[in-house]
Amino acid sequence: MKALWELRRYYRPYRGRFASGLALVILSSGLAGVIPWLLRAAIDGMRGGMAAERIQLIAGVMVAIALVSGAARYGMRDLMNGVSRRIEYDLRNTLFRHLASLDASYFASMRTGDIMARLTNDLGAVRMAVGPAIMYLINTIAGGAFALVFMVRIDPWLTLVALLPVALLPIIMAKGGTAIHHRFEAVQEHFSTMTTRAQENISGARIVRAYRQEEPEIARWSDMNEEYLHRNMRLVRLWGLLNPGFALLAGLGAVIVLGYGGRLVLQGEITVGSLVAFGFYLGML
């Protein structure tokens, strides 16, 4: 967050678009939270003999809300991703302008690959942080808040029981996120080394050929490429462990809702529609 705060001056020209994007994020999350509540009313209405015209009206409202929510989601992605692309554009220009003003001694002490990595991969990572990452963070917070409000309204105790497995998510994410950060940095560092090697071979192609070093250089590049693959696979494997872990905890929550919530339905404490809506909210959460 400190790094994002230091980039605040790059947000200023686009603060209107950014604020509109955030507003659409919250709007889409709020609208998405209304749909299961309407579904609850429709299910309970059908079981209670509600008139077909009223059920059709509820269905029509659900479709309309889904369309508006979809349009809001499109708008938020267009605005937030657009802002991140513009900030990346400004950062790249600023970085290149800064590089052009530096003394030759700087370039003598810095590897070309490091500089190229900053202009390519690193700026791409910054773009993801200043746009999509914030968008999904706000979407998660807003969607979770709306879901929790509706879940508590259905049954506070069922909400508490269903959230027990989910409480482990922050712990797993904190530890896993730190490990992912370190592995991603290792990938970026090696990418810089590979870029430097490629630049040296391309700029010094005549020397390589004059000394007949083609095969040794190809072998070195193959080893570096294999190491790059190895580092990326370590990163991918960690992601591969985290995602099923999240799914497992979500599945445990669903099992608890089905068991305990089903018992509440049989005891007449909540309705079938409430249980179905609760399951949707848990999925949102």
Side-chain angles (χ1 to χ4, degrees):
M1 293 304 293
K2 181 181 178 181
L4 288 176
W5 178 250
E6 291 175 356
L7 291 171
R8 63 190 181 278
R9 65 189 179 94
Y10 289 96
Y11 281 104
R12 284 174 191 150
Y14 315 110
R15 55 183 177 271
R17 293 174 62 87
F18 190 75
S20 299
L22 290 180
L24 288 176
V25 172
I26 297 172
L27 175 63
S28 65
S29 298
L31 290 174
V34 174
I35 293 177
W37 197 260
L38 292 174
L39 180 62
R40 164 182 176 266
I43 292 174
D44 290 342
M46 286 187 286
R47 290 174 60 84
M50 181 185 289
E53 292 79 9
R54 185 162 179 80
I55 293 174
Q56 290 172 359
L57 176 62
I58 294 175
V61 173
M62 289 172 64
V63 171
I65 290 175
L67 290 173
V68 175
S69 177
R73 287 189 176 276
Y74 171 80
M76 78 181 190
R77 287 186 173 90
D78 180 59
L79 289 170
M80 300 291 284
N81 288 331
V83 168
S84 70
R85 289 290 182 183
R86 287 175 171 83
I87 290 176
E88 180 189 21
Y89 169 82
D90 293 339
L91 280 169
R92 185 170 283 113
N93 282 337
T94 301
L95 179 55
F96 191 84
R97 193 180 302 113
H98 178 67
L99 288 172
S101 67
L102 294 173
D103 297 331
S105 59
Y106 172 82
F107 297 97
S109 62
M110 279 289 290
R111 297 186 306 174
T112 304
D114 288 337
I115 298 172
M116 293 177 68
R118 299 292 184 273
L119 286 164
T120 53
N121 269 23
D122 288 358
L123 276 181
V126 172
R127 179 188 64 79
M128 292 296 292
V130 300
I134 294 177
M135 178 178 69
Y136 289 120
L137 174 64
I138 300 301
N139 183 62
T140 300
I141 293 172
F146 285 123
L148 273 175
V149 168
F150 286 116
M151 289 166 70
V152 170
R153 288 191 63 184
I154 291 172
D155 191 278
W157 285 109
L158 180 59
T159 303
L160 179 63
V161 171
L163 290 181
L164 288 177
V166 182
L168 296 174
L169 282 176
I171 301 172
I172 296 174
M173 197 62 224
K175 293 185 176 296
T178 301
I180 285 173
H181 177 73
H182 291 320
R183 294 188 184 188
F184 181 75
E185 281 192 332
V187 169
Q188 292 291 85
E189 180 185 352
H190 195 67
F191 176 80
S192 172
T193 302
M194 289 183 67
T195 307
T196 299
R197 195 73 188 183
Q199 186 270 335
E200 289 173 350
N201 273 272
I202 293 170
S203 61
R206 292 182 180 179
I207 298 174
V208 171
R209 290 177 183 174
Y211 288 94
R212 303 183 65 83
Q213 291 296 303
E214 293 92 341
E215 291 303 321
E217 288 299 327
I218 290 172
R220 288 192 193 96
W221 178 260
S222 179
D223 291 340
M224 293 175 69
N225 202 20
E226 190 167 338
E227 175 63 19
Y228 187 62
L229 174 64
H230 172 69
R231 295 190 183 195
N232 272 290
M233 290 305 297
R234 288 184 71 240
L235 178 62
V236 169
R237 287 191 192 100
L238 184 55
W239 269 117
L241 285 174
L242 285 178
N243 289 332
F246 295 156
L248 175 63
L249 291 175
L252 286 175
V255 170
I256 292 172
V257 168
L258 190 60
Y260 182 60
R263 190 172 127 194
L264 293 177
V265 171
L266 293 175
Q267 292 174 347
E269 296 185 31
I270 63 172
T271 64
V272 174
S274 295
L275 181 60
V276 172
F278 194 93
F280 273 98
Y281 289 126
L282 185 63
M284 288 175 59
L285 197 62

